[in-house]
Amino acid sequence: MKPTMDGSYHIFGVCHGPDSRLFVDYAVDDPGACEPQLLNFIRCSSDPALARWPARPQLASGDVFEIECVQDVGTAQEAVEFWRAYFRMLGMTVLEAHHLVDRTGD
């Protein structure tokens, strides 16, 4: 994968409050700017973990939050694993889903 223009990969989380399960992934696009597209990718994903997520149809604006930005895809993948482990340590249920999409416009 080619680096982005600004060299940033956005690590983000998606959590629907009443459900309290969390999905963590990365994307090249700013999650705040492409929130509707990210939610649509989650709703349409055939990933088993996402397909079984009871809150998937109820995901809405405000359920997506940015965690950090990193400079390359390898670091983004490591950051996703770190944040998943961190949130698990805090007692949250973290969905073990595959990477969704690099760019929301693809």
Side-chain angles (χ1 to χ4, degrees):
M1 166 180 234
K2 296 184 294 189
T4 63
M5 294 290 255
D6 64 0
S8 295
Y9 291 81
H10 301 266
I11 313 306
F12 67 91
V14 180
C15 185
H16 184 65
D19 177 69
S20 75
R21 294 179 197 173
L22 176 69
F23 171 63
V24 178
D25 199 6
Y26 70 89
V28 172
D29 300 319
D30 176 0
C34 64
E35 184 178 86
Q37 295 93 328
L38 283 174
L39 294 175
N40 191 49
F41 280 119
I42 292 169
R43 286 187 200 105
C44 297
S45 175
S46 61
D47 183 280
L50 294 175
R52 289 188 307 265
W53 190 7
R56 184 164 85 156
Q58 290 89 30
L59 294 174
S61 180
D63 291 339
V64 178
F65 60 95
E66 185 164 359
I67 300 171
E68 69 173 318
C69 284
V70 297
Q71 295 301 308
D72 60 73
V73 70
T75 305
Q77 292 165 340
E78 290 175 9
V80 166
E81 292 306 313
F82 168 83
W83 287 108
R84 285 178 177 177
Y86 175 78
F87 287 117
R88 255 188 247 104
M89 183 191 72
L90 293 177
M92 295 186 75
T93 301
V94 178
L95 299 170
E96 291 298 325
H98 291 63
H99 174 59
L100 264 181
V101 62
D102 290 321
R103 289 193 172 276
T104 57
D106 289 348

